[in-house]
Amino acid sequence: MAQTIKHSEFVLIGGGIMSATLAILLFEKFPGKKITIIEKLPKMAEESSEAWNNAGTGHAGNCELNYTPEKKGEIDIKKAIEISEQFKETFNFWKYCAEKGYINNLSKCVNEVPHVSFVQGKKNVAFLEKRWRILKEYPHFSGMAFSNNKDEIKEWLPLMMEGRSDKEDIAATYFNNGYDVNFGEIADQIFRFLGKQKNVELLNNSNVYNLQKTDNKRWLTTVKGQNVGKHWKIVSNYVFIGAGGGTLPLLDKANIKESKGYGGFPISGLWLRCTNPEIIERHHAKAYGKAKRGAPPMSVPHMDTRVINGRKELLFGPFAGFTTKFLKHGSMFDLPRSVEFDNIMSLLGAGYQNLPLVKYLIKQVRLTFKDRMDMLREFYPNADNDDWKMVVAGQRVQIIKRNKKGFGKLEFGTEIIVSKDKSIAALLGASPGASTSYSVMKQVMAKSF
């Protein structure tokens, strides 16, 4: 097998929206410096960023009730405000990229779709109204409307009100200026621009299988080309790992102190996809409900209008499934291989302290198509089985982090890991993820340089 030594100032592992964003920031901050981006799959942005593998919601705290938890009768809105600010900052970055020619067609990537919170039951109705009264006082959410009037909600959500009992207690908030985002399209357009630059190299079909520090404190990234019958060793001053579920195994290979104690628990996703064009046209919103008790935040049920490749779609879910893969296109041995001496207590501790989550996942795995349709009917009572089919969504890895007692706890946000010498950085976590990609990558830049 032929071997080539390459040199690059920066090596970015993973071809999703995070690496695309960081590549632009590096491209501008260090003009002319060599940037190499490595992606395992044949095309960029085919894993977590790909349109069918995520909800496509421009997460801004408008409709996601898990961002405004109620604690001892008080609603905490700090997270919603933070995410709203980060999304606005990221959206402005995309517009800047379009102005600079990094993104060729932003209208193909972002579409206006109202963001709606929908709840059932007196307790949830009271919670939603209380949440709205607090949020509407802030500029980010001043345009949000609340209603428990069924006729008004029917104007917002005609499909979801059809066949619903008049005696049911329901309420909704409606935010008109929400967005559906095709994160994969954004990343793909940025990579198309970068691929034309002399100082940028895109390596597809290329798998990183080793990371090690050289004697002169540079990084040696070993890459195997899947189709070309050779492998490379790339010498660089800086490495960023933004490989979604593939980040943890690569961090283990890098063997930096800052990554010790981290573990991950993979959760696969499924959607119900509507196949009836008439039904699809009757719903135009991202309608988010409230998560079931014990469910992880990524499993908040929602009925989503999507615009993918110019075509309107309608999805409901997500439904969680168990797999040992860390990536949708990964290996069944990903989870077993990730268990090491320094993180085994984190993994066991997280499982013990989150038994409701474990029980929830077991129930989700056992769901039949009929069970999932029954869950859809809580949102859309008249849903017909013949109008829907199951499709496989993306893969997520819940971060497990060692706490002060040495046991693990689940982390539901985004975690940035940077080595002490600032020569390597990595990104772990999912939600809100791509919606705040610029804000997150700006933090990576600040911590690294």
Side-chain angles (χ1 to χ4, degrees), residues 55-313:
T57 303
H59 287 293
N62 304 319
C63 56
E64 307 92 331
L65 301 181
N66 54 302
Y67 294 155
T68 52
E70 190 170 15
K71 301 174 182 178
K72 297 181 179 179
E74 298 295 324
I75 295 177
D76 185 354
I77 64 169
K78 291 178 185 176
K79 188 72 172 177
I81 291 174
E82 178 188 354
I83 290 172
S84 179
E85 290 173 346
Q86 290 181 339
F87 174 73
K88 186 176 181 179
E89 189 177 39
T90 299
F91 187 51
N92 286 336
F93 171 73
W94 295 336
K95 290 194 285 188
Y96 167 78
C97 287
E99 291 169 3
K100 296 285 287 187
Y102 307 151
I103 292 175
N104 184 51
N105 183 359
L106 189 58
S107 63
K108 190 177 179 182
C109 309
V110 182
N111 290 272
E112 290 190 4
V113 175
H115 285 189
V116 178
S117 297
F118 177 82
V119 298
Q120 301 155 282
K122 289 183 179 180
K123 186 177 179 180
N124 289 333
V125 169
F127 160 78
L128 190 65
E129 183 172 8
K130 188 176 181 180
R131 173 185 183 268
W132 167 71
R133 290 192 183 281
I134 298 171
L135 285 178
K136 71 184 180 69
E137 299 302 319
Y138 290 81
H140 309 71
F141 310 105
S142 60
M144 183 182 291
F146 168 85
S147 183
N148 55 9
N149 181 290
K150 293 182 174 62
D151 290 332
E152 187 172 18
I153 297 174
K154 188 175 182 179
E155 293 179 12
W156 300 341
L157 304 168
L159 199 68
M160 289 171 56
M161 293 301 292
E162 190 177 84
R164 194 170 293 280
S165 170
D166 291 335
K167 297 179 180 179
E168 188 177 6
D169 290 302
I170 61 170
T173 55
Y174 184 89
F175 193 85
N176 191 53
N177 298 321
Y179 295 96
D180 173 70
V181 184
N182 188 329
F183 302 109
E185 182 64 32
I186 291 175
D188 186 56
Q189 289 193 31
I190 289 175
F191 283 127
R192 271 183 260 162
F193 165 81
L194 290 169
K196 296 174 184 177
Q197 309 311 306
K198 291 181 180 179
N199 63 315
V200 180
E201 183 176 25
L202 307 181
L203 297 178
N204 290 90
N205 278 318
S206 301
N207 188 29
V208 174
Y209 63 94
N210 200 21
L211 273 170
Q212 63 186 98
K213 209 69 176 290
T214 64
D215 292 338
N216 60 357
K217 297 182 179 181
R218 302 183 81 191
W219 284 99
L220 194 64
T221 305
T222 307
V223 185
K224 182 178 180 182
Q226 295 177 2
N227 296 333
V228 293
K230 64 178 183 179
H231 67 266
W232 307 274
K233 288 185 181 294
I234 306 174
V235 181
S236 67
N237 288 324
Y238 180 80
V239 173
F240 170 71
I241 310 173
T247 297
L248 270 174
L250 291 173
L251 268 177
D252 288 339
K253 294 179 188 299
N255 195 32
I256 60 172
K257 181 181 177 181
E258 291 76 12
S259 68
K260 300 301 180 185
Y262 279 93
F265 188 81
I267 299 175
S268 63
L270 298 168
W271 295 103
L272 281 171
R273 178 187 178 187
C274 186
T275 57
N276 187 331
E278 293 181 5
I279 299 297
I280 295 170
E281 283 301 318
R282 294 187 58 208
H283 183 83
H284 187 70
K286 288 183 173 291
Y288 274 59
K290 207 169 184 184
K292 301 289 185 183
R293 189 174 182 180
M298 66 173 65
S299 296
V300 171
H302 41 99
M303 188 159 152
D304 277 6
T305 292
R306 299 295 315 276
V307 181
I308 301 174
N309 299 323
R311 178 176 173 176
K312 191 175 178 182
E313 302 279 356

Side-chain angles (χ1 to χ4, degrees), residues 359-385:
K359 292 177 181 177
Y360 167 82
L361 289 173
I362 292 171
K363 287 181 180 179
Q364 285 279 298
V365 170
R366 297 176 64 184
L367 290 176
T368 64
F369 178 75
K370 180 182 178 301
D371 293 331
R372 295 184 175 105
M373 285 300 300
D374 287 342
M375 293 172 70
L376 168 60
R377 289 187 185 100
E378 292 181 25
F379 268 61
Y380 169 30
N382 286 352
D384 188 325
N385 289 12

Side-chain angles (χ1 to χ4, degrees), residues 11-24:
V11 167
L12 279 53
I13 303 172
I17 193 167
M18 293 299 182
S19 288
T21 304
L22 183 60
I24 288 294

